Amino acid sequence: MLAENEDDFQKLVNTVKEDSEKCGLFFNIRKTKTMVISREKVIPLIDIKIDGERVEHVANFTYLGHWITEDGRSDQEVKRRIGMAKNTFSRMSKLLTNCRISFATRSRLTKCYVWSIFLYACETWTLNASLERNIERLEMWLYHRMARISWKEKKKNKEVLEEIGLKHTELLKTVKTRQLAYYGHKRRHQSLQKSIMEGKINGKRQRGRKRKSWLGNIEETTTRRINECCEVALNREEWRHTIASNLWQETVKVLNVV
């Protein structure tokens, strides 16, 4: 449940509680949390009560497997997913680092069991330069261990990729591709997500540098203004062509960096 202020939120909770009880559904206060999402450095607490009992206020919360924080950023969720991916790889290290199994087979297993954990809900991440570097570091971390290449050898990423038979990294490109596909899907269908994505907030933004937004990621990835993306995404085939074109551009960019 979402509201703009504490009073509206309390009224919303009361309404949901009353209507739910008519259907035989009841709030479990131990599983109910409140959180304020704000850009302020000092985030205020709110006092929401159900049947006179105060609901616990938290600074972060896991919703449908996704880590939501009170600052509204994706940094903690991406770092958490990186940690989960590394833990999964470590548990399967005897299999994924076994040189008697071809690297191609081990790579497919890694994408199935490790990448899938990291990529969960990646469509909703807002990426910045720091997070993109962390994602690329994760992929190279996996390759180093799969190929049993020690960091002490001080091999460049290009040399590691050549040794394992790859031309470029793929994980970050996969994240951006999924984001584009998700944007196109939501743009073509009427839904709450579309309203949130395209909605405007009244008032003026705060002073200082503008925070990078999810739609800003779409603009950077496609190298198009968001109004152009809105029009192109309505045509499924044209948007698929845009995604394919972006894949090629990202590949060339990675090759140049590596």
PDB file of all heavy atoms in Angstrom, residues 116-143:
ATOM      1  N   SER A 116      21.289 -16.802 -13.303  1.00  0.00           N
ATOM      2  CA  SER A 116      19.852 -16.679 -13.072  1.00  0.00           C
ATOM      3  C   SER A 116      19.552 -16.065 -11.707  1.00  0.00           C
ATOM      4  O   SER A 116      18.586 -15.311 -11.552  1.00  0.00           O
ATOM      5  CB  SER A 116      19.179 -18.043 -13.199  1.00  0.00           C
ATOM      6  OG  SER A 116      19.726 -18.957 -12.264  1.00  0.00           O
ATOM      7  N   ILE A 117      20.393 -16.392 -10.716  1.00  0.00           N
ATOM      8  CA  ILE A 117      20.209 -15.817  -9.384  1.00  0.00           C
ATOM      9  C   ILE A 117      20.536 -14.332  -9.396  1.00  0.00           C
ATOM     10  O   ILE A 117      19.807 -13.507  -8.826  1.00  0.00           O
ATOM     11  CB  ILE A 117      21.084 -16.565  -8.356  1.00  0.00           C
ATOM     12  CG1 ILE A 117      20.548 -17.980  -8.156  1.00  0.00           C
ATOM     13  CG2 ILE A 117      21.148 -15.816  -7.027  1.00  0.00           C
ATOM     14  CD1 ILE A 117      21.384 -18.833  -7.241  1.00  0.00           C
ATOM     15  N   PHE A 118      21.616 -13.979 -10.057  1.00  0.00           N
ATOM     16  CA  PHE A 118      22.005 -12.572 -10.112  1.00  0.00           C
ATOM     17  C   PHE A 118      21.002 -11.736 -10.909  1.00  0.00           C
ATOM     18  O   PHE A 118      20.701 -10.593 -10.549  1.00  0.00           O
ATOM     19  CB  PHE A 118      23.391 -12.439 -10.733  1.00  0.00           C
ATOM     20  CG  PHE A 118      23.786 -11.024 -11.006  1.00  0.00           C
ATOM     21  CD1 PHE A 118      24.156 -10.182  -9.969  1.00  0.00           C
ATOM     22  CD2 PHE A 118      23.760 -10.496 -12.295  1.00  0.00           C
ATOM     23  CE1 PHE A 118      24.505  -8.860 -10.208  1.00  0.00           C
ATOM     24  CE2 PHE A 118      24.103  -9.185 -12.544  1.00  0.00           C
ATOM     25  CZ  PHE A 118      24.480  -8.367 -11.496  1.00  0.00           C
ATOM     26  N   LEU A 119      20.478 -12.271 -11.997  1.00  0.00           N
ATOM     27  CA  LEU A 119      19.631 -11.502 -12.903  1.00  0.00           C
ATOM     28  C   LEU A 119      18.180 -11.369 -12.442  1.00  0.00           C
ATOM     29  O   LEU A 119      17.382 -10.714 -13.121  1.00  0.00           O
ATOM     30  CB  LEU A 119      19.653 -12.145 -14.298  1.00  0.00           C
ATOM     31  CG  LEU A 119      20.999 -12.083 -15.044  1.00  0.00           C
ATOM     32  CD1 LEU A 119      20.948 -12.947 -16.295  1.00  0.00           C
ATOM     33  CD2 LEU A 119      21.353 -10.654 -15.393  1.00  0.00           C
ATOM     34  N   TYR A 120      17.836 -11.961 -11.314  1.00  0.00           N
ATOM     35  CA  TYR A 120      16.455 -11.898 -10.839  1.00  0.00           C
ATOM     36  C   TYR A 120      16.031 -10.439 -10.638  1.00  0.00           C
ATOM     37  O   TYR A 120      16.666  -9.684  -9.908  1.00  0.00           O
ATOM     38  CB  TYR A 120      16.307 -12.663  -9.522  1.00  0.00           C
ATOM     39  CG  TYR A 120      14.913 -12.606  -8.940  1.00  0.00           C
ATOM     40  CD1 TYR A 120      13.907 -13.436  -9.412  1.00  0.00           C
ATOM     41  CD2 TYR A 120      14.595 -11.703  -7.930  1.00  0.00           C
ATOM     42  CE1 TYR A 120      12.635 -13.385  -8.893  1.00  0.00           C
ATOM     43  CE2 TYR A 120      13.322 -11.645  -7.399  1.00  0.00           C
ATOM     44  CZ  TYR A 120      12.346 -12.485  -7.887  1.00  0.00           C
ATOM     45  OH  TYR A 120      11.067 -12.424  -7.362  1.00  0.00           O
ATOM     46  N   ALA A 121      14.964 -10.036 -11.324  1.00  0.00           N
ATOM     47  CA  ALA A 121      14.387  -8.680 -11.220  1.00  0.00           C
ATOM     48  C   ALA A 121      15.362  -7.592 -11.670  1.00  0.00           C
ATOM     49  O   ALA A 121      15.204  -6.430 -11.303  1.00  0.00           O
ATOM     50  CB  ALA A 121      13.916  -8.398  -9.796  1.00  0.00           C
ATOM     51  N   CYS A 122      16.359  -7.947 -12.502  1.00  0.00           N
ATOM     52  CA  CYS A 122      17.314  -6.937 -12.972  1.00  0.00           C
ATOM     53  C   CYS A 122      16.643  -5.902 -13.870  1.00  0.00           C
ATOM     54  O   CYS A 122      17.199  -4.821 -14.090  1.00  0.00           O
ATOM     55  CB  CYS A 122      18.470  -7.605 -13.706  1.00  0.00           C
ATOM     56  SG  CYS A 122      18.015  -8.373 -15.287  1.00  0.00           S
ATOM     57  N   GLU A 123      15.471  -6.216 -14.382  1.00  0.00           N
ATOM     58  CA  GLU A 123      14.755  -5.276 -15.252  1.00  0.00           C
ATOM     59  C   GLU A 123      14.413  -3.979 -14.518  1.00  0.00           C
ATOM     60  O   GLU A 123      14.212  -2.935 -15.146  1.00  0.00           O
ATOM     61  CB  GLU A 123      13.462  -5.905 -15.777  1.00  0.00           C
ATOM     62  CG  GLU A 123      13.661  -7.091 -16.704  1.00  0.00           C
ATOM     63  CD  GLU A 123      13.808  -8.405 -15.956  1.00  0.00           C
ATOM     64  OE1 GLU A 123      13.923  -8.377 -14.715  1.00  0.00           O
ATOM     65  OE2 GLU A 123      13.807  -9.464 -16.613  1.00  0.00           O
ATOM     66  N   THR A 124      14.339  -4.027 -13.185  1.00  0.00           N
ATOM     67  CA  THR A 124      13.906  -2.862 -12.415  1.00  0.00           C
ATOM     68  C   THR A 124      15.070  -2.057 -11.848  1.00  0.00           C
ATOM     69  O   THR A 124      14.848  -1.027 -11.208  1.00  0.00           O
ATOM     70  CB  THR A 124      13.012  -3.311 -11.243  1.00  0.00           C
ATOM     71  OG1 THR A 124      13.777  -4.152 -10.354  1.00  0.00           O
ATOM     72  CG2 THR A 124      11.813  -4.096 -11.738  1.00  0.00           C
ATOM     73  N   TRP A 125      16.300  -2.499 -12.085  1.00  0.00           N
ATOM     74  CA  TRP A 125      17.449  -1.788 -11.505  1.00  0.00           C
ATOM     75  C   TRP A 125      17.699  -0.462 -12.220  1.00  0.00           C
ATOM     76  O   TRP A 125      17.532  -0.352 -13.432  1.00  0.00           O
ATOM     77  CB  TRP A 125      18.719  -2.633 -11.612  1.00  0.00           C
ATOM     78  CG  TRP A 125      18.672  -3.905 -10.829  1.00  0.00           C
ATOM     79  CD1 TRP A 125      17.793  -4.242  -9.845  1.00  0.00           C
ATOM     80  CD2 TRP A 125      19.558  -5.033 -10.976  1.00  0.00           C
ATOM     81  NE1 TRP A 125      18.076  -5.496  -9.359  1.00  0.00           N
ATOM     82  CE2 TRP A 125      19.140  -6.004 -10.031  1.00  0.00           C
ATOM     83  CE3 TRP A 125      20.645  -5.290 -11.792  1.00  0.00           C
ATOM     84  CZ2 TRP A 125      19.785  -7.228  -9.912  1.00  0.00           C
ATOM     85  CZ3 TRP A 125      21.291  -6.505 -11.677  1.00  0.00           C
ATOM     86  CH2 TRP A 125      20.870  -7.465 -10.735  1.00  0.00           C
ATOM     87  N   THR A 126      18.127   0.530 -11.444  1.00  0.00           N
ATOM     88  CA  THR A 126      18.626   1.776 -12.006  1.00  0.00           C
ATOM     89  C   THR A 126      20.141   1.742 -11.887  1.00  0.00           C
ATOM     90  O   THR A 126      20.687   1.751 -10.783  1.00  0.00           O
ATOM     91  CB  THR A 126      18.067   2.997 -11.258  1.00  0.00           C
ATOM     92  OG1 THR A 126      16.637   2.995 -11.361  1.00  0.00           O
ATOM     93  CG2 THR A 126      18.604   4.286 -11.858  1.00  0.00           C
ATOM     94  N   LEU A 127      20.830   1.664 -13.018  1.00  0.00           N
ATOM     95  CA  LEU A 127      22.273   1.460 -13.021  1.00  0.00           C
ATOM     96  C   LEU A 127      23.033   2.774 -13.147  1.00  0.00           C
ATOM     97  O   LEU A 127      22.588   3.692 -13.833  1.00  0.00           O
ATOM     98  CB  LEU A 127      22.664   0.545 -14.186  1.00  0.00           C
ATOM     99  CG  LEU A 127      22.046  -0.861 -14.195  1.00  0.00           C
ATOM    100  CD1 LEU A 127      22.467  -1.608 -15.451  1.00  0.00           C
ATOM    101  CD2 LEU A 127      22.449  -1.646 -12.951  1.00  0.00           C
ATOM    102  N   ASN A 128      24.164   2.826 -12.470  1.00  0.00           N
ATOM    103  CA  ASN A 128      25.109   3.924 -12.666  1.00  0.00           C
ATOM    104  C   ASN A 128      26.457   3.328 -13.037  1.00  0.00           C
ATOM    105  O   ASN A 128      26.609   2.108 -13.134  1.00  0.00           O
ATOM    106  CB  ASN A 128      25.204   4.800 -11.408  1.00  0.00           C
ATOM    107  CG  ASN A 128      25.500   3.981 -10.153  1.00  0.00           C
ATOM    108  OD1 ASN A 128      26.253   3.006 -10.200  1.00  0.00           O
ATOM    109  ND2 ASN A 128      24.907   4.362  -9.032  1.00  0.00           N
ATOM    110  N   ALA A 129      27.449   4.170 -13.252  1.00  0.00           N
ATOM    111  CA  ALA A 129      28.761   3.685 -13.709  1.00  0.00           C
ATOM    112  C   ALA A 129      29.385   2.725 -12.702  1.00  0.00           C
ATOM    113  O   ALA A 129      30.003   1.720 -13.080  1.00  0.00           O
ATOM    114  CB  ALA A 129      29.691   4.870 -13.953  1.00  0.00           C
ATOM    115  N   SER A 130      29.215   3.004 -11.417  1.00  0.00           N
ATOM    116  CA  SER A 130      29.792   2.150 -10.381  1.00  0.00           C
ATOM    117  C   SER A 130      29.169   0.759 -10.390  1.00  0.00           C
ATOM    118  O   SER A 130      29.880  -0.259 -10.315  1.00  0.00           O
ATOM    119  CB  SER A 130      29.605   2.793  -9.005  1.00  0.00           C
ATOM    120  OG  SER A 130      30.080   1.945  -7.977  1.00  0.00           O
ATOM    121  N   LEU A 131      27.850   0.690 -10.510  1.00  0.00           N
ATOM    122  CA  LEU A 131      27.175  -0.606 -10.531  1.00  0.00           C
ATOM    123  C   LEU A 131      27.538  -1.390 -11.789  1.00  0.00           C
ATOM    124  O   LEU A 131      27.685  -2.616 -11.739  1.00  0.00           O
ATOM    125  CB  LEU A 131      25.664  -0.412 -10.444  1.00  0.00           C
ATOM    126  CG  LEU A 131      25.131   0.132  -9.117  1.00  0.00           C
ATOM    127  CD1 LEU A 131      23.612   0.269  -9.175  1.00  0.00           C
ATOM    128  CD2 LEU A 131      25.528  -0.769  -7.956  1.00  0.00           C
ATOM    129  N   GLU A 132      27.673  -0.706 -12.904  1.00  0.00           N
ATOM    130  CA  GLU A 132      28.053  -1.388 -14.149  1.00  0.00           C
ATOM    131  C   GLU A 132      29.439  -2.012 -14.017  1.00  0.00           C
ATOM    132  O   GLU A 132      29.662  -3.132 -14.482  1.00  0.00           O
ATOM    133  CB  GLU A 132      28.007  -0.402 -15.321  1.00  0.00           C
ATOM    134  CG  GLU A 132      26.591   0.021 -15.702  1.00  0.00           C
ATOM    135  CD  GLU A 132      26.567   0.946 -16.900  1.00  0.00           C
ATOM    136  OE1 GLU A 132      27.658   1.265 -17.428  1.00  0.00           O
ATOM    137  OE2 GLU A 132      25.468   1.350 -17.319  1.00  0.00           O
ATOM    138  N   ARG A 133      30.350  -1.298 -13.371  1.00  0.00           N
ATOM    139  CA  ARG A 133      31.689  -1.868 -13.157  1.00  0.00           C
ATOM    140  C   ARG A 133      31.617  -3.084 -12.236  1.00  0.00           C
ATOM    141  O   ARG A 133      32.331  -4.080 -12.456  1.00  0.00           O
ATOM    142  CB  ARG A 133      32.617  -0.807 -12.567  1.00  0.00           C
ATOM    143  CG  ARG A 133      33.043   0.279 -13.549  1.00  0.00           C
ATOM    144  CD  ARG A 133      34.200   1.078 -13.008  1.00  0.00           C
ATOM    145  NE  ARG A 133      33.824   1.798 -11.787  1.00  0.00           N
ATOM    146  CZ  ARG A 133      33.341   3.033 -11.766  1.00  0.00           C
ATOM    147  NH1 ARG A 133      33.176   3.695 -12.906  1.00  0.00           N
ATOM    148  NH2 ARG A 133      33.041   3.632 -10.634  1.00  0.00           N
ATOM    149  N   ASN A 134      30.765  -3.013 -11.221  1.00  0.00           N
ATOM    150  CA  ASN A 134      30.628  -4.154 -10.306  1.00  0.00           C
ATOM    151  C   ASN A 134      30.079  -5.389 -11.024  1.00  0.00           C
ATOM    152  O   ASN A 134      30.486  -6.519 -10.733  1.00  0.00           O
ATOM    153  CB  ASN A 134      29.710  -3.779  -9.144  1.00  0.00           C
ATOM    154  CG  ASN A 134      30.360  -2.811  -8.177  1.00  0.00           C
ATOM    155  OD1 ASN A 134      31.581  -2.680  -8.145  1.00  0.00           O
ATOM    156  ND2 ASN A 134      29.555  -2.119  -7.394  1.00  0.00           N
ATOM    157  N   ILE A 135      29.156  -5.168 -11.956  1.00  0.00           N
ATOM    158  CA  ILE A 135      28.589  -6.289 -12.710  1.00  0.00           C
ATOM    159  C   ILE A 135      29.658  -6.927 -13.598  1.00  0.00           C
ATOM    160  O   ILE A 135      29.760  -8.159 -13.688  1.00  0.00           O
ATOM    161  CB  ILE A 135      27.390  -5.808 -13.555  1.00  0.00           C
ATOM    162  CG1 ILE A 135      26.238  -5.377 -12.636  1.00  0.00           C
ATOM    163  CG2 ILE A 135      26.920  -6.907 -14.512  1.00  0.00           C
ATOM    164  CD1 ILE A 135      25.080  -4.737 -13.357  1.00  0.00           C
ATOM    165  N   GLU A 136      30.466  -6.099 -14.242  1.00  0.00           N
ATOM    166  CA  GLU A 136      31.541  -6.629 -15.087  1.00  0.00           C
ATOM    167  C   GLU A 136      32.596  -7.348 -14.239  1.00  0.00           C
ATOM    168  O   GLU A 136      33.148  -8.367 -14.656  1.00  0.00           O
ATOM    169  CB  GLU A 136      32.173  -5.495 -15.887  1.00  0.00           C
ATOM    170  CG  GLU A 136      31.230  -4.935 -16.954  1.00  0.00           C
ATOM    171  CD  GLU A 136      31.831  -3.768 -17.719  1.00  0.00           C
ATOM    172  OE1 GLU A 136      32.786  -3.151 -17.179  1.00  0.00           O
ATOM    173  OE2 GLU A 136      31.356  -3.464 -18.817  1.00  0.00           O
ATOM    174  N   ARG A 137      32.862  -6.822 -13.044  1.00  0.00           N
ATOM    175  CA  ARG A 137      33.819  -7.484 -12.150  1.00  0.00           C
ATOM    176  C   ARG A 137      33.303  -8.856 -11.724  1.00  0.00           C
ATOM    177  O   ARG A 137      34.075  -9.813 -11.613  1.00  0.00           O
ATOM    178  CB  ARG A 137      34.063  -6.618 -10.917  1.00  0.00           C
ATOM    179  CG  ARG A 137      34.855  -5.342 -11.180  1.00  0.00           C
ATOM    180  CD  ARG A 137      35.295  -4.699  -9.878  1.00  0.00           C
ATOM    181  NE  ARG A 137      35.887  -3.387 -10.114  1.00  0.00           N
ATOM    182  CZ  ARG A 137      35.290  -2.237  -9.814  1.00  0.00           C
ATOM    183  NH1 ARG A 137      34.096  -2.245  -9.255  1.00  0.00           N
ATOM    184  NH2 ARG A 137      35.893  -1.098 -10.051  1.00  0.00           N
ATOM    185  N   LEU A 138      32.009  -8.961 -11.480  1.00  0.00           N
ATOM    186  CA  LEU A 138      31.428 -10.252 -11.109  1.00  0.00           C
ATOM    187  C   LEU A 138      31.657 -11.280 -12.211  1.00  0.00           C
ATOM    188  O   LEU A 138      32.068 -12.419 -11.938  1.00  0.00           O
ATOM    189  CB  LEU A 138      29.932 -10.106 -10.836  1.00  0.00           C
ATOM    190  CG  LEU A 138      29.150 -11.426 -10.698  1.00  0.00           C
ATOM    191  CD1 LEU A 138      29.643 -12.218  -9.493  1.00  0.00           C
ATOM    192  CD2 LEU A 138      27.662 -11.165 -10.610  1.00  0.00           C
ATOM    193  N   GLU A 139      31.397 -10.891 -13.456  1.00  0.00           N
ATOM    194  CA  GLU A 139      31.563 -11.828 -14.560  1.00  0.00           C
ATOM    195  C   GLU A 139      33.022 -12.274 -14.694  1.00  0.00           C
ATOM    196  O   GLU A 139      33.303 -13.465 -14.872  1.00  0.00           O
ATOM    197  CB  GLU A 139      31.095 -11.190 -15.874  1.00  0.00           C
ATOM    198  CG  GLU A 139      31.113 -12.155 -17.047  1.00  0.00           C
ATOM    199  CD  GLU A 139      30.497 -11.581 -18.302  1.00  0.00           C
ATOM    200  OE1 GLU A 139      30.096 -10.389 -18.282  1.00  0.00           O
ATOM    201  OE2 GLU A 139      30.413 -12.308 -19.313  1.00  0.00           O
ATOM    202  N   MET A 140      33.947 -11.332 -14.566  1.00  0.00           N
ATOM    203  CA  MET A 140      35.364 -11.692 -14.660  1.00  0.00           C
ATOM    204  C   MET A 140      35.786 -12.525 -13.456  1.00  0.00           C
ATOM    205  O   MET A 140      36.640 -13.414 -13.575  1.00  0.00           O
ATOM    206  CB  MET A 140      36.230 -10.434 -14.766  1.00  0.00           C
ATOM    207  CG  MET A 140      36.033  -9.642 -16.049  1.00  0.00           C
ATOM    208  SD  MET A 140      36.165 -10.639 -17.567  1.00  0.00           S
ATOM    209  CE  MET A 140      37.793 -11.346 -17.400  1.00  0.00           C
ATOM    210  N   TRP A 141      35.201 -12.285 -12.293  1.00  0.00           N
ATOM    211  CA  TRP A 141      35.469 -13.096 -11.095  1.00  0.00           C
ATOM    212  C   TRP A 141      35.095 -14.555 -11.364  1.00  0.00           C
ATOM    213  O   TRP A 141      35.827 -15.479 -11.007  1.00  0.00           O
ATOM    214  CB  TRP A 141      34.677 -12.539  -9.923  1.00  0.00           C
ATOM    215  CG  TRP A 141      34.907 -13.196  -8.595  1.00  0.00           C
ATOM    216  CD1 TRP A 141      35.831 -12.835  -7.651  1.00  0.00           C
ATOM    217  CD2 TRP A 141      34.189 -14.318  -8.053  1.00  0.00           C
ATOM    218  NE1 TRP A 141      35.733 -13.666  -6.557  1.00  0.00           N
ATOM    219  CE2 TRP A 141      34.738 -14.584  -6.772  1.00  0.00           C
ATOM    220  CE3 TRP A 141      33.150 -15.114  -8.509  1.00  0.00           C
ATOM    221  CZ2 TRP A 141      34.276 -15.611  -5.960  1.00  0.00           C
ATOM    222  CZ3 TRP A 141      32.690 -16.149  -7.703  1.00  0.00           C
ATOM    223  CH2 TRP A 141      33.246 -16.389  -6.451  1.00  0.00           C
ATOM    224  N   LEU A 142      33.964 -14.750 -12.020  1.00  0.00           N
ATOM    225  CA  LEU A 142      33.520 -16.108 -12.348  1.00  0.00           C
ATOM    226  C   LEU A 142      34.470 -16.761 -13.343  1.00  0.00           C
ATOM    227  O   LEU A 142      34.850 -17.926 -13.180  1.00  0.00           O
ATOM    228  CB  LEU A 142      32.098 -16.060 -12.921  1.00  0.00           C
ATOM    229  CG  LEU A 142      30.986 -15.568 -11.985  1.00  0.00           C
ATOM    230  CD1 LEU A 142      29.682 -15.404 -12.752  1.00  0.00           C
ATOM    231  CD2 LEU A 142      30.794 -16.524 -10.821  1.00  0.00           C
ATOM    232  N   TYR A 143      34.867 -16.005 -14.372  1.00  0.00           N
ATOM    233  CA  TYR A 143      35.741 -16.566 -15.400  1.00  0.00           C
ATOM    234  C   TYR A 143      37.109 -16.937 -14.827  1.00  0.00           C
ATOM    235  O   TYR A 143      37.690 -17.961 -15.205  1.00  0.00           O
ATOM    236  CB  TYR A 143      35.910 -15.578 -16.548  1.00  0.00           C
ATOM    237  CG  TYR A 143      34.663 -15.380 -17.385  1.00  0.00           C
ATOM    238  CD1 TYR A 143      34.430 -14.194 -18.080  1.00  0.00           C
ATOM    239  CD2 TYR A 143      33.711 -16.393 -17.485  1.00  0.00           C
ATOM    240  CE1 TYR A 143      33.295 -14.022 -18.845  1.00  0.00           C
ATOM    241  CE2 TYR A 143      32.566 -16.215 -18.245  1.00  0.00           C
ATOM    242  CZ  TYR A 143      32.357 -15.034 -18.924  1.00  0.00           C
ATOM    243  OH  TYR A 143      31.230 -14.861 -19.675  1.00  0.00           O
TER     244      TYR A 143
END
